[in-house]
């Protein structure tokens, strides 16, 4: 959690000091870093969490895979949304963050549920919404491609 606090402080400093294109790319990179760290923190401990609340290995496999499946399904939705909005990235990005935060909250409260089925459902839907929120990686790539001049892009 200390790393995330430091990264948030760095993002704030970058937004205040740096030029806008560099700001945007740096913020996107840091968001990707936070997404990766959160995935790397959850993936190894998920089996223990699922078993603790009364799940089994099959449920663990389902919960582990729903994140990637939701991300896979969400990326084209965000892409279509940006295209229809005329290359405006802000609203889809904010929506993806809200969805991811909601997923994190559901995941967190899975441990406090009164029954095993409720706990597993909260964990499952938490990972599902986290995957939908994490699908914003495609937006980051598209944004970077749209702000870098054609002659400066790798060929």
């Amino acid at each position: 959690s200390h790393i995330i606090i430091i990264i948030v402080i760095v993002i704030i400093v970058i937004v205040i000091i740096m030029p806008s294109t560099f700001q945007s790319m740096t913020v996107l990179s840091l968001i990707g870093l936070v997404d990766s760290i959160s995935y790397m923190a959850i993936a190894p401990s998920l089996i223990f969490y699922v078993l603790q609340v009364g799940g089994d290995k099959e449920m663990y496999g389902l919960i582990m895979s729903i994140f990637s499946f939701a991300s896979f399904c969400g990326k084209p939705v965000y892409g279509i949304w940006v295209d229809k909005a005329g290359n405006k990235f802000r609203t889809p990005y904010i929506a993806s963050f809200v969805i991811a935060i909601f997923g994190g909250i559901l995941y967190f409260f899975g441990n406090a549920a009164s029954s095993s089925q409720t706990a597993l459902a909260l964990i499952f839907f938490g990972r599902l919404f986290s995957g939908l929120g994490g699908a914003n990686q495609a937006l980051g790539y598209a944004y970077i491609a749209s702000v870098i001049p054609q002659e400066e892009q790798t060929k």
Side-chain angles (χ1 to χ4, degrees), residues 2-117:
H2 291 40
I3 293 173
I4 294 174
I5 292 170
I6 292 169
I7 290 173
V8 168
I9 292 169
V10 169
I11 289 173
I12 291 169
V13 169
I14 288 170
V15 168
I16 293 171
I17 296 175
M18 297 184 180
S20 68
T21 302
F22 188 73
Q23 271 181 7
S24 299
M25 291 193 309
T26 305
V27 169
L28 288 173
S29 298
L30 291 173
I31 289 168
L33 179 65
V34 170
D35 283 345
S36 297
I37 289 171
S38 68
Y39 182 78
M40 287 184 279
I42 289 175
S45 62
L46 184 61
I47 183 71
F48 303 111
Y49 192 29
V50 170
L51 293 175
Q52 176 188 349
V53 298
D56 55 14
K57 291 180 183 177
E58 288 78 19
M59 188 55 135
Y60 160 72
L62 182 65
I63 291 172
M64 186 69 180
S65 63
I66 195 63
F67 177 90
S68 298
F69 183 72
S71 181
F72 173 77
C73 293
K75 287 177 183 179
V77 172
Y78 289 132
I80 291 168
W81 187 359
V82 167
D83 289 344
K84 289 197 185 279
N87 253 6
K88 304 271 191 237
F89 290 86
R90 177 166 284 181
T91 304
Y93 246 117
I94 292 170
S96 71
F97 292 137
V98 170
I99 291 168
I101 289 168
F102 179 66
I105 290 168
L106 289 177
Y107 181 82
F108 176 76
F109 282 112
N111 202 26
S114 58
S115 73
S116 177
Q117 287 181 330

Side-chain angles (χ1 to χ4, degrees), residues 122-136:
L122 286 171
I123 295 168
F124 176 84
F125 285 109
R127 295 305 293 153
L128 178 108
F129 284 111
S130 293
L132 287 172
N136 65 13

Side-chain angles (χ1 to χ4, degrees), residues 31-32 54 120 124 128 137 139 146:
I31 289 168
L120 291 169
F124 176 84
L128 178 108
Q137 292 172 335
L139 294 177
S146 71

